[in-house]
Amino acid sequence: MTQGIQASRNGSRPLTESDRESALDLLEKGLRETPMYQWLLGDDAPTEAYRWYGEVLVAENFHGLRGVFDETGTLIALIALAYPTRPAGGVDDELMARIRHFVRALDGFAERFTELRRTQKDAVTDNRAVEILFALVHPDHRRGGTLACLIDEVVEMGRRDDLPVVAGTADATMSKVYVRRWDAPIRGEFTLTGGPTVWIHRIAPPGERR
């Protein structure tokens, strides 16, 4: 826990190719605990499905991945950002082949994915915003302030560039934290069919606070 606190205070850095496998290890565990991804992949999804979807998320968002590392150089937390001025990444042919495999293998995945994308699009609150796509902390380093420090960094990025920051969460407690700690009111929400409710929070840029 102490290492996690110190690492979060030292801040995050952009991930490099050498960090990819560590990021996938953290994502595989984290996605299995996240209600939205549990719903998306299905109750009976095997471990390799979570690994595969982590690969998709990393490939599409690699330019926006930042990590926190402990004093031994181990990745302990991860956050993915989407910037309005940067295009999303892409997938290679090998990953595309695995996408086709899992879309067929996971019962109902295609329908759930379509619903998720549609509802996310409908809930968009600001096309100018820096968007927090996901944030994960290793179980051994939770409750030490690491996640809050990561989000503090993103809020500061938005402040410097005078851009809003948007984040969604399906955790009711985290939703209250966004409101209380970052003055981020709920600006949208959606409930997935047979799945969780997701609340969309928006942190206003300095120019809107004057």
Side-chain angles (χ1 to χ4, degrees), residues 39-41 103-114:
W39 172 86
L40 176 62
L41 295 175
V103 167
R104 293 191 299 267
L106 297 174
D107 186 40
F109 175 84
E111 292 78 10
R112 291 191 296 272
F113 182 81
T114 299

Side-chain angles (χ1 to χ4, degrees), residues 148-162:
C149 288
L150 263 176
I151 297 174
D152 282 343
E153 285 189 23
V154 180
V155 173
E156 177 60 21
M157 291 176 193
R159 188 196 66 77
R160 288 198 307 266
D161 296 334
D162 200 25

